[in-house]
Amino acid sequence: MKVIVLSGGVGGARFLRGVVEAVDPAGVTAVVNVGDDLEALGLSVSPDLDSVVYALADLSDEERGWGRADETWNALASVEALGGDAWFRLGDRDLGLHLVRTQALRAGQPLSAVTARLTAALGLEPTILPATDDRLRTFLDTPNGSFDFQQWFVARRHRDPVDRVRFEGASDARPAPGVLEALHEADLVLIAPSNPYVSIAPILAVERIRSALERRRVPCVAVSPLIGGKAVKGPAATMLNRLEGGTSAVQVTQRYLPLIDALVIDEADARDADGIAELGVRPIVTKTLMRDAASRRALAETALDAVALA
Ligand code: GDP
Ligand code: CA
């Protein structure tokens, strides 16, 4: 079975670990958000791609939720002691990846090629693609000003309420090589339980990805990032409340209309099922907290079963 998964960082990475346990990993393609990418200390950092790569390579720190396990912070401590910019946390092991990527990008290699080289070096079977090789950056308009994603999320700890999310560069961004092909060949499209506004929307902002999804002939199933109307982590519920008028799975559904055929929601949100069905989307109720390998796999299997919707 060939599956394509649209993914952000942590929530997407956890889900992808379940997916590659449930189906042949060689048939899995992750299309990953690049709207959060940044230059930190002169290095090109792709936080969501890295979360996915580290998770699938079993290198991620499960407790911290981002970055690498068994990490140390000597380089950053030295940066700080020398008066450098240390607001974006980069561990020593993590830095190694950013060095390799930055050098390759400066030599003119596209991000997709660099990512392919990194995943090959790590022996990963699934295909991991950035949504685009072109520059696409997420900006948040708030009552306190306009911020790029990392300023808003990390430096200001996403405390500013968001009035609008913008994706600079999106109108000229082309899908990375392989994205449209994978969409065309997929038996099923999955949208990971990632933040709809700042993880999935930047992928869909690439016009040719969105239009290919609209024309697809296979089911598209999203997994809700909410449990009991709350995000497991991060600003998804706050954003849904302000921008969509509520924090239930119904608002998640609205956010993804008309692209999805089904939405997997948590048992704690079962009361939203009727409202989802009224929007013409099939609700699938299950346990969605990915606390360990078994729960990740069970959630992935439930979403994958929707291939029978076709
Ligand atoms: P980021 O790019 O690192 O912020 O990660 P994502 O956008 O991929 O994932 C963040 C979202 O994942 C948040 O909205 C969380 O609510 C959601 N999330 C994290 N863990 C879980 C989980 O175990 N179950 C579900 N349903 N959602 C989760
Ligand atoms: Ca992210």
Side-chain angles (χ1 to χ4, degrees):
M1 177 148 104
K2 290 199 166 171
V3 189
I4 186 161
V5 185
L6 310 191
S7 172
V10 175
R14 283 187 185 146
F15 182 66
L16 274 159
R17 289 186 82 181
V19 173
V20 298
E21 290 216 347
V23 293
D24 178 2
V28 176
T29 300
V31 175
V32 182
N33 171 40
V34 293
D36 319 352
D37 289 14
L38 72 153
E39 286 73 45
L41 296 165
L43 300 177
S44 298
V45 182
S46 296
D48 287 3
L49 276 171
D50 296 344
S51 291
V52 168
V53 167
Y54 289 151
L56 292 176
D58 219 357
L59 293 171
S60 53
D61 188 301
E62 287 295 297
E63 246 162 65
R64 199 182 325 115
W66 54 272
R68 288 188 59 156
D70 201 16
E71 187 60 284
T72 54
W73 305 89
N74 299 303
L76 204 73
S78 170
V79 166
E80 202 159 16
L82 295 168
D85 253 346
W87 64 274
F88 195 83
R89 312 285 301 157
L90 296 168
D92 298 332
R93 290 179 195 278
D94 191 27
L95 273 164
L97 187 156
H98 305 314
L99 290 170
V100 172
R101 172 167 42 220
T102 303
Q103 185 186 32
L105 290 174
R106 282 201 191 141
Q109 283 186 36
L111 181 60
S112 55
V114 181
T115 307
R117 194 150 63 81
L118 295 170
T119 56
L122 290 166
L124 294 187
E125 277 188 88
T127 305
I128 302 176
L129 301 173
T132 180
D133 280 334
D134 298 323
R135 188 181 172 88
L136 184 159
R137 293 288 182 274
T138 301
F139 283 79
L140 297 301
D141 294 340
T142 83
N144 307 320
S146 226
F147 304 104
D148 70 41
F149 181 83
Q150 300 298 350
Q151 266 179 304
W152 172 74
F153 191 85
V154 179
R156 299 177 66 86
R157 295 167 201 233
H158 53 81
R159 65 171 175 260
D160 310 281
V162 174
D163 293 319
R164 184 158 168 252
V165 189
R166 288 183 291 117
F167 307 108
E168 285 193 10
S171 57
D172 299 323
R174 296 154 300 175
V179 171
L180 294 181
E181 291 82 351
L183 265 170
H184 194 68
E185 289 169 9
D187 300 302
L188 179 66
V189 180
L190 296 175
I191 299 180
S194 293
N195 184 308
Y197 292 100
V198 292
S199 292
I200 302 300
I203 302 173
L204 301 175
V206 179
E207 189 47 44
R208 287 174 63 203
I209 296 183
R210 173 174 272 274
S211 59
L213 265 173
E214 282 168 353
R215 286 196 311 269
R216 76 186 187 278
R217 303 224 179 101
V218 298
C220 175
V221 179
V223 182
S224 172
L226 303 182
I227 297 185
K230 296 196 175 92
V232 177
K233 206 180 165 192
T238 314
M239 297 183 85
L240 278 164
N241 200 30
R242 189 167 168 97
L243 299 170
E244 213 75 41
T247 67
S248 82
V250 175
Q251 277 81 34
V252 177
T253 310
Q254 281 167 350
R255 192 66 204 100
Y256 287 140
L257 286 177
L259 283 182
I260 59 168
D261 301 293
L263 182 73
V264 179
I265 62 172
D266 196 79
E267 287 170 353
D269 300 305
R271 75 177 87 86
D272 301 335
D274 289 347
I276 294 168
E278 274 167 29
L279 294 169
V281 171
R282 175 196 290 210
I284 300 171
V285 182
T286 189
K287 287 187 165 63
T288 70
L289 184 65
M290 298 176 284
R291 65 172 91 240
D292 54 22
S295 54
R296 287 191 294 259
R297 183 180 175 148
L299 177 59
E301 280 171 350
T302 302
L304 288 159
D305 278 347
V307 78
L309 283 173

Short mmCIF file of all heavy atoms in Angstrom, two decimals, residues 8-12 14 36 48 193-195 199 224-225 227 231-233 236 288-290, ligand 1:
data_model
loop_
_atom_site.label_atom_id
_atom_site.label_comp_id
_atom_site.label_asym_id
_atom_site.label_seq_id
_atom_site.Cartn_x
_atom_site.Cartn_y
_atom_site.Cartn_z
N GLY A 8 3.53 18.03 10.17
CA GLY A 8 4.32 19.06 10.82
C GLY A 8 5.44 18.37 11.58
O GLY A 8 5.97 17.33 11.12
N GLY A 9 5.79 18.92 12.74
CA GLY A 9 6.92 18.39 13.50
C GLY A 9 6.53 17.27 14.45
O GLY A 9 6.35 16.12 14.03
N VAL A 10 6.31 17.63 15.70
CA VAL A 10 6.22 16.61 16.75
C VAL A 10 5.01 15.69 16.61
O VAL A 10 5.15 14.46 16.64
CB VAL A 10 6.21 17.31 18.13
CG1 VAL A 10 5.99 16.29 19.22
CG2 VAL A 10 7.51 18.06 18.34
N GLY A 11 3.81 16.29 16.43
CA GLY A 11 2.60 15.46 16.31
C GLY A 11 2.68 14.59 15.06
O GLY A 11 2.32 13.41 15.07
N GLY A 12 3.18 15.19 13.97
CA GLY A 12 3.32 14.46 12.73
C GLY A 12 4.34 13.34 12.85
O GLY A 12 4.13 12.22 12.35
N ARG A 14 5.32 11.71 15.56
CA ARG A 14 4.79 10.61 16.38
C ARG A 14 3.88 9.72 15.55
O ARG A 14 3.96 8.49 15.59
CB ARG A 14 3.98 11.16 17.56
CG ARG A 14 4.83 11.69 18.65
CD ARG A 14 4.00 12.08 19.87
NE ARG A 14 4.89 12.69 20.83
CZ ARG A 14 4.56 13.68 21.65
NH1 ARG A 14 3.33 14.15 21.66
NH2 ARG A 14 5.45 14.18 22.48
N ASP A 36 8.29 26.80 9.04
CA ASP A 36 9.01 27.17 10.27
C ASP A 36 10.51 27.24 10.08
O ASP A 36 11.24 27.50 11.04
CB ASP A 36 8.89 26.14 11.39
CG ASP A 36 7.56 25.51 11.61
OD1 ASP A 36 6.60 25.94 10.99
OD2 ASP A 36 7.50 24.59 12.42
N ASP A 48 10.72 21.02 11.41
CA ASP A 48 9.74 19.94 11.24
C ASP A 48 10.35 18.75 10.50
O ASP A 48 10.13 17.60 10.87
CB ASP A 48 8.48 20.47 10.54
CG ASP A 48 7.65 21.36 11.47
OD1 ASP A 48 8.10 21.60 12.61
OD2 ASP A 48 6.56 21.80 11.07
N PRO A 193 -1.92 14.39 12.92
CA PRO A 193 -2.49 15.25 13.96
C PRO A 193 -1.54 16.40 14.28
O PRO A 193 -1.04 16.53 15.40
CB PRO A 193 -2.67 14.30 15.15
CG PRO A 193 -1.63 13.26 14.95
CD PRO A 193 -1.50 13.08 13.46
N SER A 194 -1.29 17.22 13.28
CA SER A 194 -0.40 18.38 13.41
C SER A 194 -1.25 19.63 13.53
O SER A 194 -2.46 19.58 13.34
CB SER A 194 0.50 18.46 12.18
OG SER A 194 1.40 17.37 12.14
N ASN A 195 -0.61 20.75 13.82
CA ASN A 195 -1.34 22.01 13.94
C ASN A 195 -1.90 22.41 12.56
O ASN A 195 -1.14 22.59 11.62
CB ASN A 195 -0.40 23.10 14.47
CG ASN A 195 -1.12 24.41 14.72
OD1 ASN A 195 -1.82 24.92 13.85
ND2 ASN A 195 -0.96 24.94 15.92
N SER A 199 1.20 24.09 10.67
CA SER A 199 1.94 22.92 10.16
C SER A 199 1.35 22.40 8.85
O SER A 199 2.08 22.11 7.91
CB SER A 199 1.94 21.79 11.20
OG SER A 199 2.72 22.15 12.32
N SER A 224 -7.32 14.38 14.16
CA SER A 224 -7.45 15.61 14.95
C SER A 224 -6.32 15.74 15.97
O SER A 224 -5.99 14.78 16.66
CB SER A 224 -8.79 15.62 15.69
OG SER A 224 -8.82 16.72 16.58
N PRO A 225 -5.74 16.93 16.08
CA PRO A 225 -4.71 17.15 17.11
C PRO A 225 -5.30 17.48 18.49
O PRO A 225 -4.55 17.75 19.42
CB PRO A 225 -3.93 18.35 16.55
CG PRO A 225 -4.96 19.13 15.81
CD PRO A 225 -5.94 18.12 15.25
N ILE A 227 -7.60 16.62 21.91
CA ILE A 227 -8.18 15.58 22.76
C ILE A 227 -9.01 16.29 23.83
O ILE A 227 -8.48 17.11 24.58
CB ILE A 227 -7.08 14.69 23.39
CG1 ILE A 227 -6.31 13.95 22.28
CG2 ILE A 227 -7.70 13.70 24.40
CD1 ILE A 227 -5.27 12.96 22.77
N ALA A 231 -5.50 21.01 22.76
CA ALA A 231 -4.31 20.49 22.08
C ALA A 231 -3.51 19.67 23.08
O ALA A 231 -3.46 20.00 24.27
CB ALA A 231 -3.46 21.64 21.54
N VAL A 232 -2.89 18.59 22.61
CA VAL A 232 -2.01 17.83 23.49
C VAL A 232 -0.84 18.72 23.91
O VAL A 232 -0.35 18.65 25.03
CB VAL A 232 -1.52 16.55 22.78
CG1 VAL A 232 -0.54 15.78 23.65
CG2 VAL A 232 -2.71 15.66 22.42
N LYS A 233 -0.43 19.57 22.99
CA LYS A 233 0.67 20.50 23.24
C LYS A 233 0.56 21.63 22.22
O LYS A 233 0.14 21.38 21.09
CB LYS A 233 2.00 19.77 23.05
CG LYS A 233 3.15 20.37 23.84
CD LYS A 233 4.43 19.59 23.62
CE LYS A 233 5.61 20.42 24.11
NZ LYS A 233 6.88 19.87 23.67
N ALA A 236 -2.70 24.97 19.03
CA ALA A 236 -3.75 24.62 18.06
C ALA A 236 -5.14 25.02 18.55
O ALA A 236 -5.93 25.62 17.80
CB ALA A 236 -3.71 23.12 17.73
N THR A 288 -6.70 8.55 20.63
CA THR A 288 -5.72 9.20 19.76
C THR A 288 -4.46 9.66 20.48
O THR A 288 -3.59 10.27 19.86
CB THR A 288 -6.33 10.40 18.99
OG1 THR A 288 -6.57 11.46 19.93
CG2 THR A 288 -7.61 10.03 18.27
N LEU A 289 -4.34 9.41 21.78
CA LEU A 289 -3.12 9.83 22.48
C LEU A 289 -1.99 8.85 22.13
O LEU A 289 -2.10 7.65 22.37
CB LEU A 289 -3.33 9.88 24.00
CG LEU A 289 -2.13 10.41 24.79
CD1 LEU A 289 -1.85 11.88 24.43
CD2 LEU A 289 -2.33 10.27 26.29
N MET A 290 -0.90 9.37 21.57
CA MET A 290 0.22 8.52 21.16
C MET A 290 1.26 8.51 22.27
O MET A 290 2.23 9.25 22.24
CB MET A 290 0.79 9.04 19.84
CG MET A 290 -0.23 9.00 18.70
SD MET A 290 0.40 9.71 17.16
CE MET A 290 0.29 11.46 17.53
P1 GDP B 1 5.21 20.95 15.63
O1 GDP B 1 5.48 21.34 14.21
O2 GDP B 1 6.39 20.39 16.32
O3 GDP B 1 4.47 21.99 16.40
O4 GDP B 1 4.25 19.69 15.55
P2 GDP B 1 2.91 19.34 14.82
O5 GDP B 1 2.20 20.51 14.26
O6 GDP B 1 3.17 18.19 13.92
O7 GDP B 1 2.13 18.76 16.05
C1 GDP B 1 1.59 19.58 17.06
C2 GDP B 1 0.20 19.07 17.35
O8 GDP B 1 0.31 17.68 17.66
C3 GDP B 1 -0.44 19.72 18.54
O9 GDP B 1 -1.57 20.44 18.10
C4 GDP B 1 -0.84 18.55 19.45
O10 GDP B 1 -2.13 18.70 19.96
C5 GDP B 1 -0.74 17.35 18.52
N1 GDP B 1 -0.37 16.13 19.21
C6 GDP B 1 0.80 15.87 19.84
N2 GDP B 1 0.77 14.65 20.40
C7 GDP B 1 -0.44 14.13 20.10
C8 GDP B 1 -1.09 12.88 20.41
O11 GDP B 1 -0.54 12.01 21.07
N3 GDP B 1 -2.36 12.71 19.92
C9 GDP B 1 -3.01 13.67 19.18
N4 GDP B 1 -4.25 13.42 18.75
N5 GDP B 1 -2.42 14.85 18.89
C10 GDP B 1 -1.17 15.06 19.34
#
